[in-house]
């Protein structure tokens, strides 16, 4: 019997799952993000997503819009994935989502990390 391909899906970050994002960030990144970071993430809508690999949270992307020197820029604040799930397409799925949002918006002058 053939094995089904892994399913990578993106989901909203909500007050109900924000703690999953906090735990993920603690494991993936060498810095600790403050409560304001997580409060802001809840307010950016499509610019923040969790990545699910076969229904398990394994990654996330969090962005914001910055205005610098008269330019509107999309800042990718965090983009990460748990080690065992790297090179499985999770990061690509997250980055493709960010690029799609920027393209659909049509008003960003740049995207930066």
């Amino acid at each position: 019997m053939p094995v089904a391909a892994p399913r990578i899906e993106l989901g909203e970050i909500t007050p109900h799952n924000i703690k999953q994002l906090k735990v993920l960030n603690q494991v993936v990144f060498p810095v600790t993000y403050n409560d304001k970071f997580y409060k802001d993430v809840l307010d950016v809508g499509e610019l923040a997503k969790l990545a699910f690999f076969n229904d398990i949270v394994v990654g996330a992307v969090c962005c914001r819009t910055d205005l610098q020197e008269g330019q509107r820029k999309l800042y990718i604040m965090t983009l990460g994935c748990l080690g065992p799930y790297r090179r499985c397409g999770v990061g690509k799925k997250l980055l493709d989502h960010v690029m799609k949002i920027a393209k659909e918006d049509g008003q960003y002058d740049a995207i930066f990390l």
Side-chain angles (χ1 to χ4, degrees):
M1 178 178 208
V3 176
R7 201 175 66 233
I8 302 169
E9 296 178 351
L10 302 184
E12 291 182 38
I13 298 174
T14 69
H16 300 289
N17 64 19
I18 192 79
K19 287 183 181 176
Q20 289 180 296
L21 176 63
K22 287 181 183 182
V23 170
L24 180 80
N25 284 350
Q26 288 170 348
V27 172
V28 173
F29 301 113
V31 297
T32 301
Y33 293 94
N34 61 31
D35 289 340
K36 183 182 181 322
F37 172 87
Y38 294 103
K39 181 188 173 302
D40 291 347
V41 164
L42 289 172
D43 294 333
V44 297
E46 288 294 307
L47 294 178
K49 289 289 187 182
L50 289 174
F52 296 86
F53 188 94
N54 290 337
D55 299 323
I56 300 166
V57 175
V58 299
V61 64
C62 300
C63 306
R64 72 172 185 238
T65 300
D66 278 357
L67 294 174
Q68 296 178 349
E69 301 167 4
Q71 291 191 325
R72 187 169 178 253
K73 299 180 180 183
L74 184 62
Y75 171 44
I76 300 173
M77 299 183 293
T78 62
L79 173 65
C81 178
L82 293 174
Y85 297 91
R86 292 180 187 154
R87 304 200 56 78
C88 294
V90 176
K92 180 181 181 337
K93 182 93 169 182
L94 291 164
L95 193 55
D96 285 350
H97 174 75
V98 171
M99 299 299 287
K100 179 180 173 233
I101 293 297
K103 184 176 181 180
E104 287 175 356
D105 180 278
Q107 300 297 312
Y108 288 106
D109 297 299
I111 299 171
F112 70 107
L113 296 169

